[in-house]
């Protein structure tokens, strides 16, 4: 089991992007609460198992964000299965999930799997292009997806996914305030965090902030996004 209710900061590593041993050590020993391995394109079994093996030298929890049934590697602490709630391409709503469940049959350790309801909000992101997400959403639209996730689908997690760009802080906070008032959802925010101020701001609108790209662009800045008390 994972103790994600206590996570305020996680790094997301993309198996398709090379990372040196030194950088990986700095990430894993940064004080972050966990590492998620995930990405949209170019994710293979070999790349995932290689990265998992390197992260396993460190004590922190490691979660696989499942994006491709051919790259599901055993041995993670937990598996996050994305459900893109605002996808408009029906192929991406439940079809890949059904195919994977059919392929793996009874071998899936369901106790280690959580479904994460994603609301994709950056139209230029790879995940938005892939799933043809409807991203031009009002506050009421996004809150309604959150309610749908909590009350209809009984999901534990809701993820505001701005991958590659920073969301409007007041919008993210308004979604958070509304959903925390009426649901038990754990809210993730991810997208464009590249310094400490942005991380702190977005923590006002999320239980957990997810930091990805900046790891590969400016490691020093990435490490600064870990909240003060954790370092
Ligand atoms: C991506 O939400 C994460 O899935 C993090 O976004 O890569 O823009 O930091 P960035």
């Amino acid at each position: 089991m994972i103790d994600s209710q206590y996570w305020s900061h996680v790094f997301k590593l993309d198996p398709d992007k090379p990372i040196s041993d030194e950088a990986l050590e700095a990430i894993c020993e940064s004080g972050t609460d966990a590492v998620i391995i995930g990405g949209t394109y170019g994710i293979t079994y070999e790349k995932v198992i290689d990265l998992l093996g390197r992260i396993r030298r460190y004590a922190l929890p490691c979660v696989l964000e499942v994006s491709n049934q051919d790259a599901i590697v055993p041995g993670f602490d937990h598996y996050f299965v994305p459900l893109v709630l605002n996808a408009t391409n029906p192929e991406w709503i439940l079809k890949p999930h059904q195919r994977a469940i059919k392929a793996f049959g009874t071998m899936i350790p369901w106790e280690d799997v959580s479904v994460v309801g994603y609301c994709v909000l950056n139209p230029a992101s790879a995940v938005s292009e892939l799933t043809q997400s409807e991203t031009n959403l009002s506050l009421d639209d996004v809150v309604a997806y959150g309610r749908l996730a909590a009350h209809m689908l009984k999901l534990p997690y809701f993820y505001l996914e701005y991958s590659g760009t920073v969301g409007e802080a007041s919008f993210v906070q308004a979604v958070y305030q509304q959903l925390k008032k009426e649901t038990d959802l754990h809210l993730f925010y991810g997208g464009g965090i590249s310094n400490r101020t942005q991380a702190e701001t977005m923590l006002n609108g999320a239980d957990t902030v997810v930091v990805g790209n900046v790891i590969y662009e400016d490691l020093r800045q990435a490490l600064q996004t870990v909240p003060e008390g954790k370092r």
Side-chain angles (χ1 to χ4, degrees):
M1 278 310 289
I2 50 167
D3 56 354
S4 57
Q5 69 271 28
Y6 303 115
W7 298 353
S8 58
H9 180 284
V10 303
F11 280 120
K12 190 185 279 189
L13 293 170
D14 186 338
D16 197 37
K17 294 183 182 166
I19 186 165
S20 68
D21 285 342
E22 294 71 27
L24 193 62
E25 179 175 3
I27 290 293
C28 293
E29 298 197 334
S30 63
T32 190
D33 293 304
V35 168
I36 296 176
I37 293 186
T40 303
Y41 292 121
I43 313 299
T44 65
Y45 191 90
E46 290 69 29
K47 289 176 193 170
V48 173
I49 204 166
D50 174 67
L51 192 51
L52 175 64
R54 293 170 65 203
I55 292 169
R56 275 292 180 236
R57 294 177 206 154
Y58 307 96
L60 80 178
C62 190
V63 175
L64 179 65
E65 182 188 63
V66 179
S67 55
N68 168 355
Q69 83 175 60
D70 299 327
I72 302 176
V73 170
F76 279 84
D77 295 302
H78 206 73
Y79 296 83
F80 282 163
V81 174
L83 204 56
V84 179
L85 302 171
N86 59 330
T88 66
N89 181 346
E91 177 65 18
W92 280 101
I93 299 176
L94 288 175
K95 201 64 202 167
H97 310 72
Q98 186 263 0
R99 274 197 217 104
I101 292 167
K102 187 176 169 193
F104 289 98
T106 56
M107 283 156 53
I108 300 174
W110 289 106
E111 64 281 8
D112 297 329
V113 175
S114 296
V115 179
V116 181
Y118 277 65
C119 189
V120 173
L121 291 164
N122 174 11
S125 62
V127 61
S128 171
E129 282 166 19
L130 186 69
T131 60
Q132 292 165 26
S133 295
E134 185 187 27
T135 56
N136 189 14
L137 300 179
S138 67
L139 176 61
D140 286 348
D141 287 326
V142 177
V143 168
Y145 275 122
R147 290 179 181 144
L148 186 155
H151 301 304
M152 285 181 64
L153 302 177
K154 312 287 182 199
L155 302 185
Y157 301 105
F158 186 61
Y159 191 133
L160 287 194
E161 175 62 288
Y162 281 88
S163 181
T165 191
V166 191
E168 176 76 39
S170 57
F171 184 88
V172 172
Q173 283 168 24
V175 172
Y176 181 78
Q177 278 160 13
Q178 194 62 37
L179 291 178
K180 292 307 276 189
K181 225 187 307 178
E182 8 169 327
T183 73
D184 293 330
L185 287 168
H186 183 103
L187 273 86
F188 284 99
Y189 168 86
I193 293 177
S194 58
N195 58 53
R196 181 190 299 179
T197 312
Q198 283 172 339
E200 285 171 357
T201 303
M202 288 311 179
L203 264 176
N204 293 323
D207 297 302
T208 309
V209 294
V210 182
V211 177
N213 274 327
V214 69
I215 297 166
Y216 304 95
E217 288 160 3
D218 187 335
L219 180 65
R220 200 181 55 85
Q221 285 279 77
L223 297 171
Q224 293 289 318
T225 66
V226 180
E228 197 73 58
K230 294 183 181 293
R231 277 182 265 149

